[in-house]
Amino acid sequence: EAGVTQFPSHSVIEKGQTVTLRCDPISGHDNLYWYRRVMGKEIKFLLHFVKESKQDESGMPNNRFLAERTGGTYSTLKVQPAELEDSGVYFCASSPGGGELFFGEGSRLTVL
Amino acid sequence: AQSVAQPEDQVNVAEGNPLTVKCTYSVSGNPYLFWYVQYPNRGLQFLLKYITGDNLVKGSYGFEAEFNKSQTSFHLKKPSALVSDSALYFCAVILGMGSSYKLIFGSGTRLLVRP
């Protein structure tokens, strides 16, 4: 069974550009989460989808970040326009419910 | 605020020696606690969890963790460390319930096992 996959694994962009990160959850998992780890700090929650609905987006830092999960399958996280402080590793996780989250390998974003 | 704390940025241990990675929590109600590990250039991998029951929880790769309610701790332990255990370890707690829950992570502890 395929795990959570994320694309791209690494993206390098200039300040002001746009980047879109993609996450494919484990098939059948209704819960999908985005997290990020910035500059070696803690892993911070961004948002939580249940199917296609945003259950909790309290961690989204500002309106430059837009997450979608059309059809309740894969999800995208767009950063537009990117700023230097957005650099970090963005993790996606999915869960069937019951607590345990299954994580992807992360997308490293570098904003120059 | 509900949170988890990992007081050590790094833990150094010699191969074959026991290891402990510390975690304390501050949550209301009964905590659901987790440990995850991140190996270099890999994603987060689940190690073990405490939901209810025995305070000593056994997980993957020979790791175990002890839930201590009076000390609000959930320290990760292994009797004999391996060089391959060198990685980044994260303690986490579930917040919320029902369909609205999320993991809140500690800041992580880097474990370095020297040969």
Side-chain angles (χ1 to χ4, degrees), chain A residues 33 35 56 95 97 101 105, chain B residues 36 42-43 88 99 101-103:
Chain A
Y33 299 80
Y35 286 82
D56 179 355
S95 172
L101 273 59
E105 297 197 351
Chain B
Y36 280 80
R42 302 296 301 276
L88 200 51
S99 62
Y101 66 91
K102 59 192 177 190
L103 276 179

Side-chain angles (χ1 to χ4, degrees), chain A residues 76-90:
Chain A
T76 57
L77 179 64
K78 180 189 288 188
V79 185
Q80 180 183 29
E83 298 289 343
L84 299 178
E85 64 265 25
D86 300 333
S87 295
V89 181
Y90 290 76

